[in-house]
Amino acid sequence: MPEPEATPDTRRTGLTPKSIAIWSLVALVGAAGWGVLALSRGEEISAAWMLAAALGSYAIAYRFYALFIARRVLKVDKTRATPAERLDNGVDFHPTDRRVLFGHHFAAVAGAGPLVGPVLAAQMGYLPGTIWIIVGVIFAGAVQDMVTLFFSTRRNGRSLGQMARDEIGPFGGAAALIAVFAIMIILLAVLALVIVNALAHSPWGVFSIGMTIPIALLMGVYLRVLRPGRVTEVSVLGVALLLLAIVAGGWVAESSWAGTFTLEPGTLVIWMIVYGFLASVLPVWMLLAPRDYLSTFMKVGTIVLLALGVVIALPTMKMDAVTDFATRGDGPVFAGSMFPFVFITIACGALSGFHSLVSSGTTPKMIQKETQVRMIGYGAMLTESFVAIMAMITACIIDPGLYFAINSPAGVVGTTVQSASEAVANLGFTITPDALAQAAKDVEEASLLSRTGGAPTFALGMSEIFSAVIGGTAMKAFWYHFAIMFEALFILTTVDAGTRVGRFMLQDMLGNVYKPFRQVSWKPGVWFASAVVVGGWGYFLWVGVHDPLGGINQLFPLFGIANQLLAAVALAVCTTLLIKSGRLKWAWVTGIPLAWDVAVTLTASWQKIFSEDPRVGFFAQRDKYQAGIDADKVLPPAKSLDDMHTVVTNSTVDGVLSALFAILIIVVIADAGRVCLKAIRNPEGVRLAEEPHTESKLVAPAGMFPTREEKAELVAAGLGTGGGMRKESAPRESQGDVPAGTGSA
């Protein structure tokens, strides 16, 4: 099958001597960073070298590899109208300025993963995780996001599950639909669990986060009713109120109201479920849209400031490059060897299946031009990967003894600073009880022991960096709680958006049985589907909070496996579409990441299901505690037979889900392989569920900043030099229109 003809946007452009010099310098900076990280043996190095390695690699990847994929592999076509232009209804489909859409996309995909995964993986040292974060995002994560966004845009913004059903077939498609929905429930539960762990017993954090809800509601009403279109005004108002909420949280924590906002984990679970339900059923402009917008300022701005803080303060990496836990696999934070568990623990910063749901959800219905998939799909994922790098830095610049005291469950370190000091010493690290007590006092927390979930560690590392630049020790508590608020706001955006996406998915599935469910605004369907979704992730959240082994320790391996298996579905669909659309020679672009992801996740699934080590295998853990119950014996860290029964139930559920997810993904991949083989043998018989070419009448730049040629086009269209909007008329430049059913993409 012939590939599409090259358009002006797909032809290779040459490099000038000036650009060659600039990119050579960028490459040297990145290489120097990698060299220092790789060659250091035992000595402490500056965290700035990690920044150099990451930023240099990202810049080279975006400029060259992403451009190669967009132009040579996907052959993006700026003359082709996107669903946002063709189906514009001002509700779901609407051409959105690329800068605003970048913010929306980043806010939707960047959740707990890039903050939590690197922190947990730091127990194996900073080097393995850093390599996976940077290499993984360049060749796997960002590629998945961009290619999924492209193919969904060519298909009226269809979801990943629906694309699987359309392009692979009803059998593999049905397995994909079930797997995608079930996996999303697990992902949302873990995201919510991180928030609960961060806010439990923290009146400062609870108050500050609680206030972001009325702030977002005010912003929504302000922008829609009071002052429509006044984006700058509402931005200033929202950020000012947000900063005031953080400062006021400190006042509340020291006042008589502190008890009111000091909540137990179980209470927080109930509030999270209520919030998730309301966020799913309320109009999108009222809560989700302003929260997305507000959180984008906070997410990008805070990470940039944190990077500047690293450059100014130059903190050193106190964690070893590679620890003994990497080879022994008996780490207290999570058990298992470096392969495969580093690669599933660090999910969202390198490769995240959750992103494919957004790339085939809201974003393809809003993108102005196909040429923007590089900036929004690949660029936003690189930005999230940089968040993961900052999380790795914050975890590794604090004392290793303090790191393990914070991230180990109570069953390992106990409940006192004395017991924690002794437990850490048994792990091979040293920290005194006084140092543990002082660390908690510095951030005005009663205790930092067993604050699992990654968020408290990230906040502590961030407070170390910011306080070294501004305010010293006296400001450490402010920066710590600012970071807690930042993380919770960061994650809540994904929880509420994910709940709404889950509701859409469930309504689509139920619509096959009862047609009114297909109407996404049908109130009974909205309320029922929302209740089912929040009930699903709410169950796993409740289980995680009350798990004697530490909920994050139990659920995060399942979270990582599920998320990476979802990525396997996305990469399998993308590889199938590349082959079916006549791009067999480029199928390696997604095929190699798919092969790696399948090898990692199925190995991890096998070990979590069949390992005889109770610290690794879910069923081995179940058998161990069931034997204790049969002998009427309580095994630590459980404190009662009720705790023992909880462990047995949770381990059984986790093991069954691991097996179910693995089977479903094997079915999807096997069916995709059958379709690919058929397409290779008989390319003439290929049919794609793709919309025909329609001439675009929009003029909009492909990147954040218009090129010289794009500025000329904008000026010629009377649109200035920065944005883009609908043209009343446009000359038709036939670039090889694609008739329906030809199989070209």
Side-chain angles (χ1 to χ4, degrees):
M1 180 179 301
E3 295 182 9
E5 294 296 323
T7 71
D9 293 300
T10 66
R11 292 195 291 263
R12 181 182 297 274
T13 57
L15 292 171
T16 65
K18 179 181 177 181
S19 62
I20 291 174
I22 292 173
W23 287 109
S24 297
L25 180 61
V26 171
L28 288 173
V29 170
W34 280 116
V36 172
L37 292 178
L39 299 177
S40 297
R41 293 292 183 270
E43 67 273 19
E44 291 184 359
I45 64 170
S46 172
W49 289 113
M50 188 179 292
L51 283 184
L55 293 175
S57 301
Y58 295 153
I60 295 293
Y62 183 78
R63 171 59 181 84
F64 296 100
Y65 190 54
L67 192 63
F68 159 76
I69 294 174
R71 290 181 171 178
R72 298 290 300 279
V73 179
L74 301 180
K75 295 192 181 336
V76 294
D77 184 357
K78 73 177 182 181
T79 70
R80 190 184 187 112
T82 64
E85 180 181 357
R86 289 186 290 99
L87 306 176
D88 184 6
N89 61 10
V91 181
D92 296 316
F93 295 87
H94 183 65
T96 304
D97 185 282
R98 67 202 182 283
R99 294 158 294 192
V100 175
L101 185 56
F102 178 92
H104 161 79
H105 186 80
F106 174 73
V109 302
L115 299 177
V116 176
V119 171
L120 301 182
Q123 79 162 355
M124 295 187 176
Y126 63 78
L127 191 56
T130 299
I131 293 173
W132 171 234
I133 290 170
I134 298 175
V135 176
V137 73
I138 290 172
F139 295 106
V143 173
Q144 172 208 253
D145 293 11
M146 177 170 68
V147 178
T148 302
L149 175 57
F150 171 80
F151 280 126
S152 180
T153 300
R154 284 282 175 100
R155 287 156 178 78
N156 282 346
R158 290 191 183 96
S159 67
L160 176 66
Q162 190 60 47
M163 284 197 295
R165 182 177 176 83
D166 292 342
E167 304 291 354
I168 296 177
F171 185 62
L177 284 169
I178 296 171
V180 168
F181 181 75
I183 287 171
M184 170 165 268
I185 295 297
I186 299 297
L187 303 187
L188 292 174
V190 176
L191 295 176
L193 180 58
V194 174
I195 299 175
V196 171
N197 285 344
L199 297 182
H201 308 295
S202 178
W204 191 335
V206 168
F207 177 83
S208 297
I209 289 302
M211 289 304 298
T212 64
I213 297 175
I215 290 173
L217 291 171
L218 173 62
M219 291 175 65
V221 173
Y222 189 96
L223 201 56
R224 185 176 178 89
V225 180
L226 302 179
R227 301 276 286 175
R230 305 289 183 172
V231 177
T232 302
E233 290 180 15
V234 81
S235 301
V236 173
L237 176 65
V239 172
L241 290 175
L242 192 60
L243 294 175
L244 178 61
I246 299 169
V247 175
W251 301 337
V252 168
E254 297 174 357
S255 71
S256 58
W257 289 4
T260 303
F261 292 94
T262 303
L263 302 182
E264 295 294 323
T267 306
L268 282 169
V269 169
I270 295 173
W271 281 113
M272 285 291 296
I273 292 173
V274 171
Y275 168 75
F277 179 81
L278 292 177
S280 180
V281 300
L282 286 175
V284 69
W285 61 264
M286 188 177 292
L287 184 59
L288 289 187
R291 180 179 286 282
D292 266 5
Y293 188 70
L294 184 62
S295 68
T296 298
F297 277 104
M298 291 300 301
K299 290 178 178 183
V300 177
T302 301
I303 291 301
V304 170
L305 290 176
L306 188 58
L308 292 175
V310 169
V311 174
I312 295 171
L314 295 176
T316 58
M317 308 290 284
K318 294 183 172 61
M319 187 71 74
D320 292 338
V322 182
T323 67
D324 292 339
F325 298 126
T327 53
R328 296 207 310 257
D330 58 352
V333 180
F334 66 91
S337 57
M338 184 171 66
F339 180 88
F341 290 104
V342 160
F343 305 99
I344 65 166
T345 301
I346 299 178
C348 299
L351 173 63
S352 171
F354 180 79
H355 292 194
S356 65
L357 304 182
V358 179
S359 293
S360 61
T362 54
T363 305
K365 299 177 180 68
M366 301 163 71
I367 194 167
Q368 292 173 314
K369 309 292 286 184
E370 282 188 2
T371 50
Q372 295 171 353
V373 298
R374 172 175 168 243
M375 181 190 110
I376 295 169
Y378 203 96
M381 182 56 187
L382 289 183
T383 307
E384 183 179 7
S385 180
F386 188 60
V387 175
I389 287 294
M390 298 312 302
M392 181 65 75
I393 289 175
T394 59
C396 294
I397 63 171
I398 65 177
D399 185 275
L402 180 58
Y403 167 86
F404 285 105
I406 295 173
N407 289 284
S408 301
V412 174
V413 299
T415 57
T416 67
V417 292
Q418 185 64 43
S419 64
S421 177
E422 294 172 358
V424 168
N426 292 333
L427 295 174
F429 302 93
T430 303
I431 190 166
T432 65
D434 290 342
L436 289 171
Q438 187 62 46
K441 183 178 178 181
D442 286 344
V443 296
E444 298 182 15
E445 289 286 338
S447 173
L448 290 175
L449 302 182
S450 299
R451 297 293 297 273
T452 57
T457 303
F458 182 88
L460 189 63
M462 183 184 288
S463 70
E464 290 279 352
I465 294 170
F466 279 160
S467 63
V469 178
I470 303 175
T473 305
M475 286 286 290
K476 188 174 285 188
F478 171 82
W479 290 122
Y480 176 85
H481 288 90
F482 172 85
I484 289 292
M485 184 283 307
F486 161 77
E487 292 177 283
L489 182 64
F490 206 103
I491 300 166
L492 268 178
T493 305
T494 306
V495 171
D496 51 27
T499 300
R500 185 177 285 261
V501 171
R503 187 250 289 180
F504 290 151
M505 292 167 56
L506 182 58
Q507 285 183 271
D508 285 341
M509 286 192 286
L510 294 176
N512 294 322
V513 179
Y514 188 57
K515 290 185 178 180
F517 274 105
R518 294 180 180 176
Q519 304 173 23
V520 294
S521 59
W522 184 54
K523 289 294 179 64
V526 169
W527 287 64
F528 176 78
S530 297
V532 171
V533 173
V534 297
W537 64 254
Y539 164 77
F540 287 102
L541 176 59
W542 182 268
V543 164
V545 164
H546 294 87
D547 194 320
L549 297 180
I552 199 70
N553 300 71
Q554 283 284 79
L555 279 179
F556 208 84
L558 183 61
F559 167 89
I561 291 171
N563 194 31
Q564 303 300 67
L565 288 175
L566 183 55
V569 174
L571 290 168
V573 171
C574 289
T575 304
T576 302
L577 286 172
L578 285 175
I579 293 174
K580 289 181 69 176
S581 61
R583 298 174 172 92
L584 177 60
K585 70 177 181 179
W586 302 123
W588 59 267
V589 171
T590 54
I592 292 176
L594 171 62
W596 169 258
D597 185 42
V598 169
V600 168
T601 49
L602 291 186
T603 299
S605 298
W606 180 273
Q607 292 187 18
K608 297 302 291 185
I609 296 169
F610 296 107
S611 175
E612 297 180 356
D613 185 349
R615 296 170 300 179
V616 176
F618 288 129
F619 291 118
Q621 187 180 84
R622 177 202 177 280
D623 293 342
K624 173 184 175 181
Y625 282 84
Q626 183 61 53
I629 292 173
D630 295 341
D632 200 26
K633 183 178 179 181
V634 176
L635 304 177
K639 297 180 175 62
S640 66
L641 284 177
D642 285 341
D643 284 351
M644 297 282 287
H645 283 289
T646 299
V647 174
V648 168
T649 300
N650 295 351
S651 300
T652 303
V653 171
D654 289 348
V656 170
L657 286 176
S658 293
L660 175 63
F661 292 158
I663 292 171
L664 288 172
I665 272 40
I666 290 172
V667 169
V668 173
I669 294 173
D671 210 20
R674 175 189 62 80
V675 172
C676 290
L677 186 61
K678 181 179 178 182
I680 293 170
R681 289 176 172 175
N682 182 25
E684 290 76 16
V686 169
R687 293 292 180 268
L688 290 175
E690 178 184 286
E691 296 303 314
H693 183 288
T694 301
E695 190 77 12
S696 174
K697 295 183 179 182
L698 284 180
V699 176
M704 191 69 72
F705 305 103
T707 64
R708 183 181 305 171
E709 293 78 8
E710 288 171 339
K711 287 180 180 179
E713 290 179 354
L714 290 167
V715 170
L719 302 175
T721 60
M725 57 182 290
R726 183 180 299 279
K727 292 174 61 180
E728 292 302 324
S729 62
R732 183 177 181 85
E733 298 178 4
S734 180
Q735 304 272 349
D737 290 2
V738 184
T742 62
S744 296

